[in-house]
Amino acid sequence: MLDLNSLDLEFKNRVASKPGGEKATNCFLCGTCTAGCPVSSLNNEYNPRRIMRMILLGMEKDVLSSPQLWQCSQCHTCVAHCPQDVRFADVMRVLRELALEDGYISREFLEEVEKIDREIRQERIDRVNRLQNNR
Ligand code: SF4
Ligand code: SF4
């Protein structure tokens, strides 16, 4: 059940004040981002539309402490599909910065996630190259 006293209606403006989050308040919760998201297709729990709704409602603590912040692969598919130019992948990056700023995660945790993302991209390049070399 939603605790109305815990909502911070300024949260969406805080997100919008950061580079990359400027268009967050354009969202009209259509769900196109979730429908095309490759992470959502693998994990039903991961839902960009729900995260946007929580931002707009002011559920700051729930958003910034959510494990979902770290599941986005930053592929930008949602950016290409969004009819409102919200740029959800960039909003997600802002949320990660705010989670660090507010002490929900450590700098080391953030760096480790970025390292994992780099390694996965490198792994893809290496595997595709191997595949091509073995044709
Ligand atoms: S971010 Fe864009 S695609 Fe996602 S719910 Fe909002 S308006 Fe729709
Ligand atoms: S950037 Fe993140 S939220 Fe957007 S489609 Fe890719 S994985 Fe999903």
Side-chain angles (χ1 to χ4, degrees), residues 95-114:
L95 296 177
R96 290 176 176 187
E97 287 166 14
L98 295 179
L100 176 66
E101 207 171 290
D102 289 4
Y104 287 95
I105 52 123
S106 64
R107 168 73 58 191
E108 291 73 24
F109 178 87
L110 182 61
E111 287 172 358
E112 200 56 36
V113 171
E114 288 170 352

Side-chain angles (χ1 to χ4, degrees), residues 7 17 44 46 51 93:
L7 301 181
S17 73
N44 289 339
Y46 182 73
I51 295 169
R93 194 172 37 72

